[in-house]
Amino acid sequence: MPLYETMLQEKPAIVLEIGTALTKLGFAGEPYPRSIIPSEVLDHQAKNAGLTAPNRRLFDYTNEVELYDWLVEFLKTIFFKYVLVSPKDRKVVMVESVLCPTIIKEKLARALFVHFDVSSVFFVPTHLVVLATLAVETALVVDIGYKEAIVVPVFCGVQALYAWEAQPLAAESVHNEIRRQLIESGVDEGLLTESTVEDIKIRTCFVTTAERAAKYRADGGASLQPCPDVDYSAKGEAIIKVTGRLRETAYEVMFPEDNDRLGLPYIVLNAILKCPRDMRVPLASNLVLIGGSTMVQGLTARLKSELLALLQTDLYKERLFVQAFKFHKAPAEPNFTAWLGGSIYGATDLVLTKSITREAYSKNQTIPDFTNYEETRGVPMRG
């Protein structure tokens, strides 16, 4: 029987991308996720105690048992509230970073196979499947999510893991900076919940130009005409005044000027510098920005100007001979581009040949990653 006939008769795989803050979920072959939900579980102890915020972040666990229990509860919510299918005997595609802790992958696989009885799980690396949405095989993937910014070079379809870079320069750092400036201006800290701070960031803040940022650092912006202030209504309880300075400088935590040289432009150039010479120009000509934090207005232009300026400094002038940087525009919003890549992979025959099957997992519970990959894991032994 031709392969396409068997694929048409099969139920589409369920594609999940579980992030630190948000989870994207849907079916293979679809262009958009069905839902994007917070990566949170209900803390029953907090709810029974009458607390107003009984939800806990999925990965704020204290031990392995708690992580497994929370994953089971979270997956139950996904399957029976959002995807609305029975997971039994279904194929699952998990989009996850190669830098994801092994304990999370192992507990996730155990929950899917043991508790939900899925037929197979296909782990696909985030920074590789992104390239499937662009039909390219070489790119420098800059992933800015909630906890950290990660830079992973991919050359000819292979992740150059010896050259990856990461720093905690992402949404959480921006939220902390917004909260700090608002508290200093006299705003009640009780009003600044995580959802309120995030809403202020999305609605009012943007990345300013390198020239204006330099003047803010030099004289506090005294010589600049500030952008307009904004009044933000915090759940109808109070009006929070968001100053023009805050709107422009909230994202400056991603571009720190210090002797550590660990800002976002530095880690991008350092990742390129770690690669062999013949890889550097192709990587610089194929930058891909993914993650919800890259959707802010002005980030791409600021990053490009910072990269070009750094090329003229003594630190990189005689070491990195790159003339220009080019950015790809993916056919999806940056916050679910990786999910779309997983959706594409899940619609191919790779989900049949490269998945970990339930039978293989029952014999060997070790989940392969880039440190212990077993190519022949699911292939029956000959002899």
Side-chain angles (χ1 to χ4, degrees):
M1 182 179 291
L3 177 63
Y4 66 87
E5 290 187 12
T6 62
M7 290 295 290
L8 288 175
Q9 293 172 1
E10 290 281 345
K11 295 178 181 177
I14 300 169
V15 184
L16 303 177
E17 183 194 356
I18 303 178
T20 304
L22 295 173
T23 293
K24 280 71 73 174
L25 50 102
F27 293 98
E30 294 186 347
Y32 305 100
R34 292 288 180 98
S35 299
I36 300 178
I37 62 175
S39 299
E40 296 177 346
V41 292
L42 181 65
D43 188 342
H44 294 283
Q45 292 182 352
K47 182 180 180 182
N48 295 335
L51 299 182
T52 55
N55 288 342
R56 293 276 300 275
R57 288 198 180 275
L58 182 61
F59 298 118
D60 289 345
Y61 58 92
T62 56
N63 54 62
E64 296 181 11
V65 175
E66 188 174 60
L67 171 62
Y68 179 77
D69 292 341
W70 285 5
L71 283 172
V72 168
E73 184 174 343
F74 186 64
L75 290 170
K76 193 182 299 181
T77 303
I78 288 176
F79 290 133
F80 300 115
K81 183 177 179 180
Y82 293 100
V83 183
L84 300 177
V85 297
S86 172
K88 183 176 174 61
D89 297 327
R90 293 295 290 255
K91 295 179 176 63
V92 176
V93 177
M94 289 299 310
V95 182
E96 50 84 37
S97 171
V98 292
L99 306 176
C100 175
T102 303
I103 184 64
I104 294 178
K105 292 180 64 175
E106 290 178 346
K107 297 301 179 184
L108 191 56
R110 183 185 169 201
L112 289 169
F113 282 121
V114 177
H115 194 91
F116 294 99
D117 205 24
V118 301
S119 64
S120 67
V121 178
F122 183 25
F123 287 98
V124 293
T126 300
H127 306 101
L128 180 61
V129 299
V130 164
L131 274 59
T133 66
L134 296 163
V136 298
E137 57 181 15
T138 298
L140 185 69
V141 182
V142 182
D143 180 5
I144 309 177
Y146 181 77
K147 281 284 187 184
E148 59 188 356
I150 303 172
V151 181
V152 179
V154 181
F155 192 78
C156 292
V158 179
Q159 297 178 101
L161 295 179
Y162 56 83
W164 69 274
E165 291 277 341
Q167 285 296 322
L169 308 170
E172 188 176 39
S173 300
V174 177
H175 292 181
N176 292 337
E177 176 65 14
I178 293 173
R179 189 177 285 108
R180 182 189 68 80
Q181 290 197 33
L182 288 176
I183 292 174
E184 286 182 355
S185 65
V187 177
D188 182 11
E189 189 173 357
L191 295 174
L192 301 178
T193 63
E194 184 69 18
S195 59
T196 299
V197 172
E198 183 175 14
D199 200 39
I200 290 174
K201 177 193 73 173
I202 294 172
R203 292 177 181 272
T204 67
C205 298
F206 58 94
V207 180
T208 190
T209 62
E211 294 77 13
R212 289 180 66 88
K215 291 182 179 179
Y216 271 113
R217 284 193 294 267
D219 58 10
S223 60
L224 294 175
Q225 175 67 30
C227 67
D229 298 345
V230 173
D231 289 334
Y232 178 85
S233 177
K235 299 180 181 179
E237 299 176 5
I239 299 296
I240 297 176
K241 184 178 181 180
V242 182
T243 63
R245 174 186 171 83
L246 168 59
R247 295 178 62 197
E248 283 195 77
T249 60
Y251 278 88
E252 290 309 301
V253 293
M254 300 173 67
F255 303 93
E257 289 290 333
D258 51 32
N259 292 330
D260 292 332
R261 294 170 177 167
L262 294 176
L264 183 60
Y266 286 99
I267 65 175
V268 171
L269 291 181
N270 289 341
I272 297 176
L273 201 56
K274 286 182 179 180
C275 296
R277 292 174 182 268
D278 59 339
M279 291 171 54
R280 295 175 183 174
V281 172
L283 289 174
S285 301
N286 293 275
L287 269 74
V288 181
L289 301 183
I290 65 171
S293 297
T294 64
M295 299 173 69
V296 61
Q297 185 177 3
L299 178 65
T300 303
R302 172 69 180 278
L303 179 58
K304 185 175 182 179
S305 65
E306 292 274 1
L307 291 172
L308 292 173
L310 281 178
L311 286 180
Q312 307 306 317
T313 62
D314 295 338
L315 184 61
Y316 297 102
K317 190 173 183 179
E318 301 299 327
R319 303 167 65 198
L320 194 59
F321 301 99
V322 174
Q323 302 299 323
F325 294 92
K326 299 178 182 179
F327 293 81
H328 280 283
K329 172 64 176 171
E333 295 294 340
N335 61 334
F336 66 85
T337 303
W339 181 93
L340 178 59
S343 174
I344 293 172
Y345 270 67
T348 66
D349 60 342
L350 289 174
V351 78
L352 300 175
T353 59
K354 296 293 185 181
S355 296
I356 301 173
T357 63
R358 187 168 53 213
E359 293 74 20
Y361 181 80
S362 64
K363 297 176 183 177
N364 181 6
Q365 281 78 39
T366 302
I367 301 302
D369 56 22
F370 70 95
T371 63
N372 63 352
Y373 185 68
E374 300 174 32
E375 179 69 27
T376 59
R377 177 191 178 96
V379 179
M381 297 296 291
R382 296 181 181 178

